[in-house]
Amino acid sequence: MIERYTRKEFKELWSDLRKFQLWLKVELAVCRAWHKKGKIPLTALTEIEKRTKVDEKTIERINYYERIYKHDVLAFVSAISEQIPEYSHYFHMGLTSSDVVDTALALQIKEALSLILQTVEKILQKLKELALREKKTLMMGRTHGVHAEPMTLGLKFLSWYEEMKRNKERLLRALENISYGKLSGAVGTYSNLDPEVERLALEELGLKVEPVSTQIVPRDRHAEVMWALAQTATSLERFATEIRHLQRTEVGELQEPFKEGQRGSSAMPHKKNPIHAERICGLARLIRSYLITSLENVVLWHERDISHSSAERIILPDATTALDYILNLFLEILDGLVIDRERMKENINLSFGLYASSKILVMLMEKGVPRDQAYEMVQRCAMKSWNEKIPFYISLTEDEKVSQYLTPDEIKKAIDPWSFLQHLENIYSRVFQNNL
């Protein structure tokens, strides 16, 4: 991922330094397991643990060998072996490259998901706060971008909160599902290894044993991670798109934060654009595109090749880094979100009370008017109100047929925006289960 959209934690996590450090961590865990099995003497293990390291000089040696070998794991093994020449025959003993790469990759993905989940938790707390604070902030609910019926801003945030809860569950499942390693050799048969060595090493690393591995850990696990990342990014795009719509000049109900000194346009000094929400939308599309590649990585020749490897070197760092970035960007938007409550009230009145058409329709049906006839009556009054730009209340009370069934007081109560929200508390109690 480019520097512009990379936070420090993820730059470090997906660096070559961190990758090779994790490779060494896996190798040392295997050495300790071999020691427990009596294959590596304590004196040798002690020296291996003390002398092996990965720093910038080590990476230079790895790069040197890779230019010759065209194989990064062999280059890594050779570079580390230089640090322990008399004990190098114990290093990488019985392992195949993917034993190290896949096991270390699981550790990297676990760390990435853990960092992402920390931010998700902050977003959940902020959305809960906003949902409760704006619980009774009236605004117009829209369908197809057109006025529908009144709702509250709190309900909008409550919807986002619930969706982010589901994303948290998806990410947690992905974290659980990726927490597997394999140290089982070239085709997963332990031809030069001992299953007990695998169990001991993975236990030390905090991973579970892949029940049936091939040369690699099966890639459906990684595809599930990518699905959770893509779905979370898609949710953020949904929220950001709504903020963008509500920031439009003609709506003007929400506005993402605009800090002192910030500029919105090179040509128009008055501009305050929803650039952060738009950036979230753009990067969400990128993350979703990686899901296709991740699914295609599941299919390998004879269940074991590395056609997935080149793609994963891009999509896993990029997707996790981009999601981390837009999660934090969304949190920044929420923290500084500008809410124009007066504009929300003004916008409710733009459609002359026509939002009450469904309630008037039901009231007429309850009075015994056949549905089609009731629909025609309400629609006629609604069109009159819209075309003549008069309150819906007036067109209803002046209509002879409607007046036969509904009194002016009944109509007035139906048009009251709060009459649509009598079950607001019920919705909130379902979400928070009476534990606010």
Side-chain angles (χ1 to χ4, degrees):
M1 178 54 63
I2 64 173
E3 289 276 348
R4 182 181 179 91
Y5 305 133
T6 303
R7 294 197 318 126
K8 178 175 179 289
E9 295 88 340
F10 276 74
K11 180 179 180 180
E12 293 174 353
L13 172 59
W14 293 110
S15 66
D16 282 346
L17 178 63
R18 182 65 174 148
K19 178 181 72 173
F20 292 132
Q21 286 174 340
L22 289 173
W23 285 11
L24 180 58
K25 185 176 183 179
V26 172
E27 295 275 12
L28 291 178
V30 172
C31 287
R32 283 188 280 271
W34 275 128
H35 166 66
K36 291 176 183 177
K37 297 295 293 181
K39 286 289 184 75
I40 298 181
L42 180 59
T43 53
L45 177 63
T46 301
E47 288 300 310
I48 291 170
E49 290 177 324
K50 182 170 66 175
R51 288 155 54 180
T52 56
K53 63 181 179 180
V54 173
D55 54 19
E56 293 301 328
K57 184 177 180 181
T58 310
I59 292 177
E60 288 178 9
R61 295 302 294 164
I62 294 171
N63 292 336
Y64 165 76
Y65 281 117
E66 187 170 5
R67 285 193 294 271
I68 301 170
Y69 299 159
K70 310 302 182 186
H71 194 295
D72 56 355
V73 177
L74 282 177
F76 164 78
V77 172
S78 292
I80 298 299
S81 294
E82 289 181 342
Q83 300 172 3
I84 47 169
E86 65 271 46
Y87 302 113
S88 62
H89 55 292
Y90 293 126
F91 193 77
H92 199 69
M93 187 167 62
L95 298 175
T96 192
S97 298
S98 291
D99 288 331
V100 179
V101 172
D102 280 9
T103 302
L105 181 59
L107 296 175
Q108 273 183 301
I109 296 173
K110 278 186 66 178
E111 187 174 342
L113 289 176
S114 296
L115 289 169
I116 284 168
L117 280 161
Q118 289 176 22
T119 309
V120 167
E121 195 59 49
K122 293 177 183 177
I123 289 173
L124 283 170
Q125 291 302 314
K126 187 62 183 181
L127 287 173
K128 180 178 180 179
E129 174 192 323
L130 289 168
L132 293 172
R133 193 185 77 194
E134 308 299 332
K135 183 178 183 179
K136 294 189 176 180
T137 300
L138 272 175
M139 69 179 301
M140 180 51 65
R142 298 169 174 90
T143 59
H144 308 277
V146 177
H147 281 203
E149 296 179 353
M151 60 176 292
T152 74
L153 180 59
L155 276 173
K156 190 179 296 290
F157 291 134
L158 195 66
S159 168
W160 298 0
Y161 173 83
E162 268 295 288
E163 189 163 332
M164 284 307 296
K165 276 173 56 181
R166 294 192 292 275
N167 285 319
K168 177 183 175 181
E169 291 165 3
R170 293 182 188 104
L171 290 164
L172 285 170
R173 286 196 299 270
L175 178 60
E176 173 68 21
N177 196 50
I178 201 63
S179 298
Y180 285 80
K182 61 90 63 179
L183 301 166
S184 54
V187 296
T189 59
Y190 304 95
S191 56
N192 296 302
L193 284 152
D194 184 328
E196 183 65 6
V197 168
E198 178 184 56
R199 186 192 69 79
L200 288 169
L202 293 181
E203 185 177 77
E204 178 185 325
L205 295 168
L207 298 173
K208 296 182 282 290
V209 173
E210 180 62 50
V212 184
S213 62
T214 62
Q215 180 191 11
I216 63 168
V217 171
R219 255 42 194 179
D220 63 292
R221 295 191 182 278
H222 304 73
E224 184 171 342
V225 169
M226 194 62 70
W227 156 248
L229 299 176
Q231 178 58 65
T232 303
T234 300
S235 294
L236 293 182
E237 183 178 2
R238 179 172 90 85
F239 310 154
T241 298
E242 181 64 5
I243 292 171
R244 290 169 62 192
H245 278 310
L246 295 177
Q247 185 162 333
R248 289 164 51 225
T249 304
E250 294 84 355
V251 181
E253 295 179 357
L254 293 182
Q255 180 183 300
E256 68 175 46
F258 194 87
K259 297 180 179 178
E260 185 177 353
Q262 183 176 336
R263 298 186 178 189
S265 168
S266 62
M268 297 169 285
H270 74 280
K271 294 282 278 181
K272 295 170 72 174
N273 301 324
I275 58 169
H276 293 140
E278 290 172 343
R279 191 177 301 165
I280 288 171
C281 293
L283 290 177
R285 296 167 192 166
L286 179 70
I287 295 167
R288 274 199 303 277
S289 74
Y290 290 151
L291 177 58
I292 299 298
T293 305
S294 188
L295 290 169
E296 291 175 342
N297 281 348
V298 176
V299 184
L300 303 172
W301 287 9
H302 299 297
E303 303 171 327
R304 46 183 70 85
D305 68 55
I306 58 167
S307 59
H308 62 282
S309 175
S310 54
E312 284 181 354
R313 290 170 191 259
I314 298 170
I315 66 173
L316 288 171
D318 270 18
T320 53
T321 300
L323 182 58
D324 168 73
Y325 176 79
I326 62 176
L327 281 167
N328 280 278
L329 191 57
F330 182 61
L331 183 60
E332 183 181 326
I333 291 174
L334 292 179
D335 282 337
L337 194 64
V338 178
I339 301 170
D340 193 333
R341 297 171 183 82
E342 289 304 312
R343 185 62 175 266
M344 290 177 178
K345 293 177 184 177
E346 292 171 7
N347 285 344
I348 288 175
N349 295 324
L350 286 177
S351 52
F352 313 110
L354 292 178
Y355 55 78
S357 67
S358 63
K359 195 169 284 291
I360 299 297
L361 174 63
V362 172
M363 290 171 65
L364 287 171
M365 291 168 64
E366 289 175 342
K367 298 284 188 177
V369 181
R371 192 183 195 285
D372 282 348
Q373 183 181 339
Y375 192 99
E376 187 278 329
M377 292 164 60
V378 176
Q379 187 180 49
R380 181 177 65 250
C381 293
M383 293 304 101
K384 179 181 178 182
S385 177
W386 183 258
N387 292 331
E388 297 181 14
K389 295 183 171 33
I390 61 174
F392 192 34
Y393 171 80
I394 292 177
S395 64
L396 287 169
T397 54
E398 290 180 349
D399 189 271
E400 293 183 1
K401 289 188 177 180
V402 172
S403 298
Q404 291 175 18
Y405 299 97
L406 300 177
T407 67
D409 188 55
E410 287 176 316
I411 294 171
K412 183 178 180 180
K413 288 180 180 178
I415 294 178
D416 179 0
W418 286 107
S419 69
F420 291 81
L421 296 162
Q422 56 185 316
H423 299 297
L424 184 64
E425 294 295 339
N426 180 268
I427 299 171
Y428 269 76
S429 65
R430 284 204 304 258
V431 174
F432 296 123
Q433 299 179 340
N434 297 315
N435 182 21
L436 303 180

